Amino acid sequence: MANSKYEYVKKFEEDDRLPPSNWIVVRIDGCHFHRFSAEHEFEKPNDEKALNLMNACALAMLEQFSDIVFAYGVSDEYSFIWKETTVFYQRRASKMLSLCVSYFTSMYVSKWKDFFPHKELKGPPYFDGRVVCYPKSKIIRDYLAWRQVDCHINNQYNTCFWMLVKSGKTEKEAQEFLKGTQAKDKNELLFQQFGINYDKLPQIFRKGSSVYREKVENIVKVDGNGNPVRRMQSEVVVDHMDIIGPKFWSEHPYILKEE
Amino acid sequence: MANSKYEYVKKFEEDDRLPPSNWIVVRIDGCHFHRFSAEHEFEKPNDEKALNLMNACALAMLEQFSDIVFAYGVSDEYSFIWKETTVFYQRRASKMLSLCVSYFTSMYVSKWKDFFPHKELKGPPYFDGRVVCYPKSKIIRDYLAWRQVDCHINNQYNTCFWMLVKSGKTEKEAQEFLKGTQAKDKNELLFQQFGINYDKLPQIFRKGSSVYREKVENIVKVDGNGNPVRRMQSEVVVDHMDIIGPKFWSEHPYILKEE
Amino acid sequence: MANSKYEYVKKFEEDDRLPPSNWIVVRIDGCHFHRFSAEHEFEKPNDEKALNLMNACALAMLEQFSDIVFAYGVSDEYSFIWKETTVFYQRRASKMLSLCVSYFTSMYVSKWKDFFPHKELKGPPYFDGRVVCYPKSKIIRDYLAWRQVDCHINNQYNTCFWMLVKSGKTEKEAQEFLKGTQAKDKNELLFQQFGINYDKLPQIFRKGSSVYREKVENIVKVDGNGNPVRRMQSEVVVDHMDIIGPKFWSEHPYILKEE
Amino acid sequence: MANSKYEYVKKFEEDDRLPPSNWIVVRIDGCHFHRFSAEHEFEKPNDEKALNLMNACALAMLEQFSDIVFAYGVSDEYSFIWKETTVFYQRRASKMLSLCVSYFTSMYVSKWKDFFPHKELKGPPYFDGRVVCYPKSKIIRDYLAWRQVDCHINNQYNTCFWMLVKSGKTEKEAQEFLKGTQAKDKNELLFQQFGINYDKLPQIFRKGSSVYREKVENIVKVDGNGNPVRRMQSEVVVDHMDIIGPKFWSEHPYILKEE
């Protein structure tokens, strides 16, 4: 039996290949994670285990998809930067989006028990995603800066908010209290009222997490004379450095190298 | 600290809302499931447990997303039909695609142990997906017919192929043997050589799986006089009927009703 | 000399074929026609010659492009409805848009002297355009109704506005005067103050212009016995009837017939 | 009368804004110009008057649309390069495409009599068009090189073809004769058989036409002492230089300057 009578329905499929010579960002974001984190009693303002789980999934992404050159995560979101010249699935947007979000989700559920051995998953964690093209590496850096600034703003706010709540305010009162405050006010509040030096908080909270390939020199074997043979190798790492300034990028020029 | 300096990067995001008055199909498909099914020793040509797992995930989808009116699955693929008038996430293609594929994946990993209690997941199952718009319900029926014809063609072939392999042929020999055979030849082969009446094989293998809402009359309470109070309710069910002919659709006119 | 070194630039071209089974509307609109009509001293509120020029161009469009089934024009805009199944240039949006707007423009300039023999063109008339897909004929009828209601609203307003201006008010005063008035008030104003029965104004002003193929019986030849031989033929006509109600459409069922 | 009942049809319009930080090329192309040039007895292989008409229209384009930074034309096609940062009509593709093609067409018909005072237009000249985004100025240069190489290849072929036809061959014979010949062969043919040194043919035929803004020093007034006051001004010019090599671009760095 031929299938030709119905095959015309394939003509409704659109060609969604993304334009060449653009960096491709797939950003995924936890869906209803406010509720999910409450259900699973994540620590506030930051649950380090939950962040480490996110990072482990992102690391698995870079190991699985070699054309992802950088990933940046904060809270329940992660951005994956695909290199400018990737031809992964012919750059079809729906393939890239669905594979990223599905692989990440699969990892998240599979690895859950490694990070929360004493907590059962009470409902399915899932993520939405989007795909955006950026035509220059300079704009990719601005994109990442945008996310890291956001991380900082949110984290500073959340740290204040949850300290106020833990000290006895209701959530509504804490919200009111913080309305209109500036960065300086918030740092002051943390220091004066709670003895917290914001700049001493763990980098993972203040700077988010970056995943990328570091070039490292490894001893790969020992030669006939017993001397170690070293080779430069590439290793996926997670770090929490500043990605707004030029330092990291000038030390890792290969990551966002334009063709 | 304001984030305005970098916020221009949001302007690169595209508006991907799908056109109104179109049925929306999200079809997901197992990625590298040939290897995945081998690693997990799925039965050939069909692994009923694996199909039931797929169906359980699809059923969860319809329970989660009330605007999905019908789902059809075969092997490692599933199509989800969103109603013509849905405004789920403003009909944004990337939201609909990513949420479907992520929720399904999350379910698949979470429910794995219910269907394969004695098999550990050896690698992450994941799915790709696509979104297609169809402007008329008649074309949606043709779309579903297209998938069900495909199910039949593939199942008939695979049944022959694996019977030949189980009877001693190599995979290559079986492939050669079947080259150019017609539907009739294959039925003949199964009957003569293996005593199999193709039409008596389980419907789930020959017809795939459909998931939809059935209207059922339930006893919802008992009134003061001890009489049962019945009410029409909607219940998500899985079935394996023919969806090419008109019978099912005339019995369930509400599923693909045009506005 | 081969051109292969640079041909990669073609990969940046996007596939812009419109989805099948949709009616395609190309609407064009005069660019800066406020100024253009002032420069060429068009009569206010309606210049019948200018409208007839628009209509002559639209008629030429239907004669040139056989898949345009209907056109509706008002003021300096015209909508062209392409049949649901057209495969004109593979339904590529940019081809359909550019050819429509270019052919119309070419006609407009060429035919100008036929309608304004005593006026030189002082600047280039030009049009912008857009393409929109509509999945059902019912929605096409609503689209046309939308344009015809707009014609009515604008014409009623403009008739009042220009009568007031001609009677001595400044444009600003006329505008102020009409602010917040209802349809009924405007009809009253026209009747009481200017003795105009709005419903008696020419249909072309109140209803806009429709261009379509009328089936007419023509005598195509005379047979051997001197008897006329009649045949049904299709003829492009311009009319100014109501297209909101069902009458026209039930008399011309072939125009928006769905496949 | 409100129009709200039908206004829902506007929701079918798509947002077609082109991505920021991309150069935008609108390329227009004569539709059925093979026939058009035959009808109007254009000289073969090149009609200088017809080319000058095209160039006059392109020049008018740059005078009308200040964000077009460069235009390149050959035969009946013209490419218009919009600057990377233009916000003309919010970068909406359909607006940019339709306005370009309509304005050009309007000019072409209006100016026809200036270039062909003794030839009436026999049919409407019209153009199709397309819009393409290019993310880097380097690629725009490759785009222009692609068109200029094409100009050269076509002109060389056409020069041979029409010389052969004028010398008595049929069009079919000329075509056969040239099949498989290389650039060198064609130059040889022109020189040996027709005494034509290809490199001495007018640049407009071999290099096409470029339209851009040249910075020129003009005397803008005379001061009180009778001394001329000079000022750098920008003037749209047409030239026929090489645009493949770096010379022109290094002398005009402002044209494709990246932000």
Side-chain angles (χ1 to χ4, degrees):
Chain A
M1 175 165 34
N3 205 346
S4 54
K5 185 182 167 191
Y6 300 120
E7 285 209 343
Y8 80 93
V9 300
K10 286 176 72 172
K11 291 199 177 160
F12 290 82
E13 295 177 8
E14 295 206 341
D15 178 358
D16 66 344
R17 278 173 288 179
L18 298 169
S21 199
N22 275 267
W23 303 85
I24 298 167
V25 174
V26 178
R27 179 166 80 247
I28 70 174
D29 203 2
C31 194
H32 302 312
F33 257 54
H34 196 76
R35 193 171 67 204
F36 182 83
S37 66
E39 272 174 4
H40 296 88
E41 298 171 321
F42 282 4
E43 273 180 45
K44 294 296 181 182
N46 295 287
D47 186 298
E48 200 159 357
K49 282 185 219 136
L51 292 177
N52 287 335
L53 169 53
M54 290 292 286
N55 294 345
C57 297
L59 194 143
M61 291 282 284
L62 268 85
E63 279 169 347
Q64 176 72 9
F65 304 113
S66 59
D67 283 359
I68 299 178
V69 294
F70 195 84
Y72 177 74
V74 44
S75 183
D76 59 344
E77 84 165 41
Y78 239 104
S79 298
F80 298 95
I81 318 290
W82 291 77
K83 72 176 182 186
E84 198 183 9
T85 54
T86 185
V87 288
F88 185 69
Y89 281 90
Q90 301 172 279
R91 304 171 73 88
R92 285 152 70 190
S94 55
K95 289 278 181 187
M96 299 185 78
L97 173 60
S98 56
L99 288 170
C100 277
V101 79
S102 182
Y103 194 84
F104 192 94
T105 305
S106 194
M107 278 295 161
Y108 195 93
V109 182
S110 300
K111 288 176 182 292
W112 174 266
K113 61 184 176 308
D114 301 342
F115 292 83
F116 296 102
H118 306 303
K119 281 184 192 169
E120 279 292 304
L121 268 175
K122 289 177 182 163
Y126 63 114
F127 299 83
D128 67 28
R130 71 180 67 213
V131 185
V132 191
C133 283
Y134 289 102
K136 280 107 180 169
S137 63
K138 185 203 151 296
I139 307 177
I140 282 290
R141 281 194 47 193
D142 285 349
Y143 172 85
L144 291 168
W146 175 54
R147 300 321 304 140
Q148 194 167 49
V149 169
D150 224 48
C151 167
H152 168 65
I153 292 171
N154 290 332
N155 185 58
Q156 203 182 31
Y157 181 91
N158 290 335
T159 305
C160 292
F161 178 85
W162 288 105
M163 289 312 295
L164 290 168
V165 169
K166 286 173 184 176
S167 74
K169 287 206 184 332
T170 65
E171 299 201 3
K172 206 183 155 80
E173 285 165 355
Q175 207 179 330
E176 279 302 315
F177 191 90
L178 291 170
K179 198 172 278 177
T181 55
Q182 302 297 308
K184 217 184 61 179
D185 308 330
K186 294 200 193 74
N187 276 349
E188 201 67 11
L189 167 72
L190 289 175
F191 193 68
Q192 299 294 349
Q193 198 165 338
F194 304 108
I196 291 174
N197 182 341
Y198 182 78
D199 291 339
K200 291 281 165 23
L201 291 177
Q203 293 241 108
I204 185 173
F205 301 157
R206 291 183 294 116
K207 299 292 183 191
S209 299
S210 294
V211 187
Y212 58 96
R213 289 181 191 82
E214 189 65 83
K215 297 202 167 151
V216 291
E217 198 183 63
N218 288 331
I219 297 171
V220 291
K221 60 178 176 182
V222 180
D223 72 11
N225 304 322
N227 297 322
V229 176
R230 291 182 166 80
R231 197 169 292 163
M232 289 307 292
Q233 290 184 320
S234 200
E235 199 171 40
V236 181
V237 298
V238 179
D239 204 347
H240 314 287
M241 69 287 177
D242 173 82
I243 52 174
I244 300 175
K247 183 166 179 290
F248 173 77
W249 301 106
S250 62
E251 287 169 6
H252 299 79
Y254 53 88
I255 293 179
L256 294 183
K257 197 175 173 198
E258 293 202 320
E259 296 293 304
Chain B
M1 172 164 36
N3 204 347
S4 54
K5 185 182 167 191
Y6 300 120
E7 285 209 342
Y8 80 94
V9 300
K10 286 176 73 172
K11 291 200 178 160
F12 290 83
E13 295 178 8
E14 294 206 343
D15 178 358
D16 65 345
R17 278 173 288 180
L18 298 170
S21 198
N22 276 267
W23 303 86
I24 298 167
V25 175
V26 178
R27 180 167 78 247
I28 69 172
D29 203 3
C31 195
H32 302 314
F33 257 54
H34 196 76
R35 192 171 67 207
F36 182 82
S37 65
E39 272 174 5
H40 297 87
E41 298 171 320
F42 283 3
E43 272 180 46
K44 292 297 179 184
N46 294 288
D47 187 299
E48 200 159 357
K49 281 185 219 136
L51 292 178
N52 286 335
L53 170 53
M54 290 291 288
N55 293 346
C57 297
L59 194 143
M61 292 281 286
L62 267 86
E63 278 168 349
Q64 176 73 8
F65 303 112
S66 59
D67 282 359
I68 300 179
V69 294
F70 195 84
Y72 177 74
V74 43
S75 182
D76 59 344
E77 84 165 41
Y78 239 103
S79 297
F80 298 95
I81 318 290
W82 291 77
K83 72 175 183 187
E84 197 183 10
T85 54
T86 186
V87 289
F88 185 70
Y89 280 90
Q90 301 172 279
R91 304 173 73 89
R92 286 154 71 191
S94 55
K95 288 279 181 187
M96 299 186 77
L97 173 61
S98 56
L99 289 170
C100 278
V101 79
S102 182
Y103 195 84
F104 192 94
T105 305
S106 194
M107 278 296 161
Y108 195 94
V109 182
S110 300
K111 289 177 181 290
W112 173 268
K113 61 185 176 308
D114 301 342
F115 292 83
F116 296 102
H118 305 304
K119 282 183 191 170
E120 280 292 303
L121 267 175
K122 289 177 181 162
Y126 64 113
F127 298 83
D128 67 29
R130 72 180 66 212
V131 185
V132 192
C133 283
Y134 289 102
K136 279 107 181 170
S137 63
K138 187 203 150 295
I139 307 178
I140 282 290
R141 281 195 46 193
D142 285 349
Y143 172 84
L144 291 168
W146 174 53
R147 300 320 304 139
Q148 195 169 48
V149 169
D150 224 48
C151 168
H152 168 66
I153 293 172
N154 290 332
N155 186 58
Q156 203 182 31
Y157 180 90
N158 290 336
T159 306
C160 292
F161 178 85
W162 287 105
M163 288 313 295
L164 290 169
V165 169
K166 287 173 183 176
S167 73
K169 287 206 185 332
T170 65
E171 298 201 4
K172 205 185 158 81
E173 285 165 356
Q175 205 179 333
E176 280 301 316
F177 191 89
L178 291 169
K179 197 171 277 176
T181 55
Q182 303 297 307
K184 217 184 62 180
D185 308 332
K186 295 199 193 74
N187 276 350
E188 200 66 11
L189 167 72
L190 289 175
F191 193 67
Q192 298 295 349
Q193 200 165 337
F194 302 110
I196 292 173
N197 183 341
Y198 182 78
D199 291 339
K200 291 281 161 33
L201 291 177
Q203 292 240 109
I204 185 174
F205 301 157
R206 291 183 294 116
K207 300 292 183 191
S209 299
S210 294
V211 187
Y212 59 97
R213 289 182 191 81
E214 190 65 82
K215 296 200 167 153
V216 291
E217 198 183 61
N218 287 331
I219 296 171
V220 292
K221 60 177 175 182
V222 178
D223 71 11
N225 302 323
N227 296 323
V229 175
R230 293 182 164 80
R231 197 168 293 161
M232 289 307 293
Q233 289 185 319
S234 201
E235 198 172 41
V236 181
V237 297
V238 180
D239 203 347
H240 314 288
M241 67 289 176
D242 173 83
I243 52 175
I244 300 175
K247 184 166 178 291
F248 173 79
W249 301 107
S250 62
E251 287 168 7
H252 300 79
Y254 53 88
I255 293 179
L256 294 183
K257 197 176 173 197
E258 294 202 319
E259 295 293 303
Chain C
M1 174 164 36
N3 204 347
S4 54
K5 186 182 166 189
Y6 300 119
E7 285 209 342
Y8 81 94
V9 299
K10 286 175 72 172
K11 291 201 177 159
F12 289 82
E13 296 177 7
E14 293 207 343
D15 177 358
D16 66 345
R17 278 173 288 180
L18 298 169
S21 198
N22 276 267
W23 303 85
I24 298 167
V25 174
V26 178
R27 179 166 80 247
I28 69 173
D29 203 3
C31 194
H32 302 313
F33 257 54
H34 195 77
R35 193 172 65 206
F36 182 83
S37 64
E39 272 174 3
H40 296 87
E41 298 171 321
F42 282 3
E43 273 179 45
K44 292 298 180 183
N46 295 288
D47 186 298
E48 200 160 356
K49 281 185 219 137
L51 292 178
N52 286 336
L53 169 54
M54 291 290 287
N55 293 346
C57 297
L59 194 142
M61 292 282 284
L62 267 86
E63 278 168 348
Q64 175 72 7
F65 303 112
S66 58
D67 283 358
I68 299 179
V69 293
F70 195 84
Y72 177 74
V74 43
S75 182
D76 60 344
E77 86 166 41
Y78 239 104
S79 297
F80 298 95
I81 318 290
W82 291 76
K83 72 175 183 187
E84 197 184 8
T85 54
T86 186
V87 289
F88 186 69
Y89 280 91
Q90 302 173 279
R91 304 173 73 89
R92 286 154 71 190
S94 54
K95 289 278 180 186
M96 299 186 77
L97 173 61
S98 56
L99 289 170
C100 277
V101 79
S102 181
Y103 194 84
F104 193 94
T105 305
S106 194
M107 279 295 161
Y108 195 94
V109 182
S110 300
K111 288 176 182 291
W112 173 267
K113 61 183 176 308
D114 302 341
F115 292 83
F116 296 101
H118 305 303
K119 281 183 192 170
E120 280 292 305
L121 268 174
K122 289 177 181 163
Y126 63 114
F127 298 84
D128 67 27
R130 72 180 66 213
V131 185
V132 191
C133 283
Y134 289 102
K136 279 107 182 169
S137 62
K138 187 201 150 296
I139 307 177
I140 282 291
R141 281 196 45 194
D142 286 349
Y143 172 84
L144 292 168
W146 175 53
R147 300 321 303 139
Q148 194 167 48
V149 169
D150 224 49
C151 167
H152 168 66
I153 292 172
N154 290 332
N155 185 59
Q156 203 182 32
Y157 181 91
N158 290 336
T159 305
C160 293
F161 178 85
W162 288 105
M163 288 312 296
L164 291 167
V165 169
K166 288 174 183 176
S167 73
K169 288 206 183 330
T170 65
E171 299 202 3
K172 205 183 157 80
E173 286 165 355
Q175 206 180 331
E176 279 303 315
F177 191 90
L178 291 170
K179 198 172 277 176
T181 55
Q182 301 298 306
K184 218 184 60 179
D185 308 331
K186 296 200 192 75
N187 276 349
E188 201 66 11
L189 167 73
L190 289 175
F191 193 68
Q192 298 295 348
Q193 198 164 338
F194 302 110
I196 292 174
N197 182 341
Y198 182 78
D199 292 339
K200 291 282 165 17
L201 291 177
Q203 292 240 108
I204 185 173
F205 300 158
R206 292 183 294 115
K207 299 292 181 191
S209 300
S210 295
V211 187
Y212 59 96
R213 289 182 191 81
E214 190 65 83
K215 295 200 168 154
V216 292
E217 198 183 59
N218 287 332
I219 296 171
V220 291
K221 61 177 177 182
V222 179
D223 71 11
N225 303 322
N227 298 322
V229 176
R230 290 181 165 83
R231 197 168 293 162
M232 290 306 293
Q233 289 184 321
S234 199
E235 200 171 40
V236 181
V237 297
V238 179
D239 203 348
H240 314 287
M241 68 287 177
D242 173 82
I243 52 173
I244 300 176
K247 183 165 178 291
F248 173 77
W249 301 107
S250 61
E251 286 169 7
H252 299 80
Y254 53 88
I255 293 179
L256 294 183
K257 197 175 173 200
E258 293 203 318
E259 296 291 305
Chain D
M1 176 163 36
N3 205 346
S4 54
K5 185 182 165 189
Y6 300 120
E7 284 209 343
Y8 81 93
V9 300
K10 286 176 73 172
K11 292 200 177 159
F12 289 83
E13 296 177 7
E14 294 206 343
D15 177 357
D16 66 343
R17 278 173 288 179
L18 297 170
S21 199
N22 276 267
W23 304 84
I24 298 167
V25 175
V26 178
R27 180 166 80 246
I28 69 174
D29 203 3
C31 195
H32 303 312
F33 257 54
H34 195 76
R35 193 172 66 206
F36 182 83
S37 65
E39 272 174 4
H40 296 87
E41 298 171 321
F42 282 3
E43 273 180 46
K44 293 298 180 182
N46 295 288
D47 186 297
E48 201 160 357
K49 283 185 219 137
L51 293 177
N52 287 335
L53 170 53
M54 290 291 287
N55 293 347
C57 297
L59 194 142
M61 291 282 285
L62 267 86
E63 278 168 348
Q64 176 72 7
F65 304 112
S66 60
D67 283 358
I68 300 179
V69 293
F70 195 84
Y72 177 74
V74 43
S75 182
D76 59 344
E77 85 165 43
Y78 239 103
S79 298
F80 297 96
I81 318 290
W82 291 77
K83 73 175 182 188
E84 197 183 9
T85 55
T86 185
V87 289
F88 186 69
Y89 281 91
Q90 300 172 278
R91 304 173 71 90
R92 286 152 71 190
S94 54
K95 289 278 181 188
M96 299 185 78
L97 173 60
S98 56
L99 289 170
C100 277
V101 79
S102 181
Y103 194 84
F104 193 94
T105 304
S106 194
M107 279 296 162
Y108 195 94
V109 181
S110 301
K111 288 176 181 291
W112 173 268
K113 62 185 176 307
D114 301 343
F115 292 83
F116 297 101
H118 306 303
K119 280 184 193 171
E120 280 292 303
L121 267 175
K122 289 177 181 163
Y126 63 113
F127 298 83
D128 67 27
R130 73 180 66 214
V131 185
V132 191
C133 283
Y134 290 102
K136 279 110 182 167
S137 63
K138 186 203 149 296
I139 307 178
I140 282 290
R141 281 195 46 193
D142 285 349
Y143 172 85
L144 291 168
W146 175 53
R147 299 322 303 141
Q148 195 168 49
V149 169
D150 224 47
C151 167
H152 169 65
I153 293 172
N154 290 332
N155 185 58
Q156 203 182 31
Y157 180 91
N158 290 335
T159 305
C160 292
F161 178 84
W162 289 105
M163 289 312 296
L164 290 169
V165 169
K166 287 173 183 176
S167 74
K169 287 208 185 329
T170 65
E171 299 202 4
K172 205 183 157 79
E173 285 166 355
Q175 205 179 333
E176 279 302 314
F177 191 90
L178 291 169
K179 197 171 277 177
T181 57
Q182 302 297 307
K184 216 184 62 180
D185 308 330
K186 295 200 193 74
N187 277 350
E188 201 67 11
L189 167 72
L190 289 175
F191 193 67
Q192 299 294 348
Q193 199 164 337
F194 303 109
I196 293 173
N197 183 342
Y198 182 78
D199 291 340
K200 291 281 164 23
L201 290 177
Q203 292 240 110
I204 186 174
F205 301 157
R206 291 183 295 114
K207 298 292 182 192
S209 299
S210 294
V211 186
Y212 58 97
R213 289 182 191 80
E214 190 65 84
K215 296 202 167 153
V216 291
E217 199 183 61
N218 287 332
I219 297 171
V220 291
K221 59 177 178 183
V222 179
D223 70 12
N225 303 323
N227 297 322
V229 176
R230 292 183 166 79
R231 197 168 293 162
M232 288 307 293
Q233 288 185 320
S234 201
E235 198 171 40
V236 181
V237 298
V238 180
D239 203 348
H240 314 286
M241 68 288 176
D242 173 82
I243 52 175
I244 300 175
K247 184 167 179 291
F248 173 78
W249 302 107
S250 63
E251 287 169 7
H252 300 79
Y254 53 88
I255 293 179
L256 295 183
K257 197 175 172 200
E258 293 203 319
E259 295 293 303

